């Protein structure tokens, strides 16, 4: 009879863990959403980086589902079902998330650092005529991630700032 009572208590504890995990997941998701909306992350990405991805929604959903997953693992552990397979699944999911984050940031970070460098040195400004690689034209706008150039054929070219810091940039005299 003791074994049945212990199993009942473990089942109740597992259900409580799941419910608390669901509540915490929803709370953290809503909190993150409010913070990211206050920071206007989606608007900044749209204006500065020209990325139209609902990053706020992606981040809040990711946080919610990670908390849910942890709650499920904790509940299964409470029932005594934690095993090598669950740990392997958790490890694989974490590795996949880390790899995806690294891949998504591989161009972001160098362009951000190059943008900060360009802002600090102020050697490329709107109105300057420059030539970088095979692109020649007037600098229209410099952001933290890219530089907007209007070519002589009136084409608009967006050059990543990391290209400007890694390549030879020829600054030409302004044509009048």
């Amino acid at each position: 009879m003791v074994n049945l009572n212990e199993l009942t208590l473990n089942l109740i504890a597992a259900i409580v863990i799941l419910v608390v995990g669901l509540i915490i997941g929803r709370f953290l998701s809503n909190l993150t959403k409010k913070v990211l909306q206050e920071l206007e992350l989606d608007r900044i990405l749209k204006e500065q980086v020209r990325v139209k991805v609902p990053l706020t929604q992606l981040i809040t959903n990711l946080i919610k589902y990670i908390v849910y997953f942890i709650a499920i693992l904790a509940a299964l552990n409470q029932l005594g079902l934690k095993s090598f397979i669950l740990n392997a699944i958790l490890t694989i999911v974490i590795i996949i998330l880390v790899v995806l984050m690294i891949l998504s940031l591989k161009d972001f970070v160098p362009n951000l650092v190059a943008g900060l460098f360009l802002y600090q040195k102020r050697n490329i400004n709107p109105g300057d005529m420059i030539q970088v690689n095979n692109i020649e034209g007037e600098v229209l706008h410099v952001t933290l991630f890219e530089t907007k150039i209007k070519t002589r054929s009136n084409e608009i070219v967006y050059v990543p700032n990391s290209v400007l810091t890694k390549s030879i940039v020829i600054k030409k005299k302004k044509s009048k």
Side-chain angles (χ1 to χ4, degrees):
M1 213 55 181
V2 174
N3 197 8
L4 185 58
N5 286 337
E6 186 177 324
L7 182 63
T8 305
L9 287 176
N10 284 339
L11 184 60
I12 291 171
I15 291 171
V16 168
I17 289 170
L18 278 176
V19 170
V20 169
L22 292 174
I23 292 170
I24 291 173
R26 187 169 298 251
F27 172 76
L28 288 177
S29 174
N30 289 337
L31 180 66
T32 304
K33 185 176 183 177
K34 286 180 183 178
V35 169
L36 293 178
Q37 285 176 342
E38 279 291 318
L39 294 175
E40 297 179 335
L41 179 66
D42 288 337
R43 182 189 62 79
I44 291 170
L45 283 175
K46 187 176 178 182
E47 291 175 1
Q48 294 292 324
V49 190
R50 290 171 182 73
V51 174
K52 296 178 183 176
V53 176
L55 196 59
T56 299
Q57 184 177 0
L58 290 174
I59 292 172
T60 56
N61 284 338
L62 181 67
I63 289 173
K64 179 171 53 175
Y65 292 124
I66 287 174
V67 172
Y68 289 173
F69 185 72
I70 292 170
I72 291 170
L73 285 179
L76 290 174
N77 184 38
Q78 182 65 35
L79 293 174
L81 298 176
K82 183 177 178 184
S83 67
F84 173 75
I85 295 173
L86 288 175
N87 286 333
I89 291 172
L90 179 61
T91 303
I92 290 169
V93 167
I94 290 173
I95 289 172
I96 289 171
L97 288 175
V98 168
V99 167
L100 289 174
M101 289 174 60
I102 289 171
L103 288 176
S104 68
L105 294 176
K106 78 176 181 64
D107 290 332
F108 177 80
V109 173
N111 285 323
L112 176 64
V113 171
L116 292 172
F117 177 77
L118 290 175
Y119 272 118
Q120 181 185 18
K121 293 293 182 182
R122 300 219 183 267
N123 50 357
I124 297 177
N125 298 304
D128 290 346
M129 292 296 294
I130 64 169
Q131 178 180 352
V132 59
N133 296 340
N134 295 330
I135 301 167
E136 181 178 343
E138 178 185 359
V139 175
L140 296 178
H141 190 61
V142 180
T143 69
L144 282 176
F145 303 101
E146 64 190 8
T147 298
K148 184 177 178 181
I149 299 173
K150 183 177 182 181
T151 65
R152 293 185 191 271
S153 57
N154 288 327
E155 296 175 330
I156 303 296
V157 180
Y158 296 93
V159 179
N161 285 339
S162 61
V163 171
L164 293 176
T165 57
K166 291 178 183 175
S167 302
I168 296 174
V169 177
I170 300 170
K171 202 169 185 179
K172 300 187 173 205
K173 293 181 179 179
K174 295 180 185 178
S175 58
K176 294 183 180 180

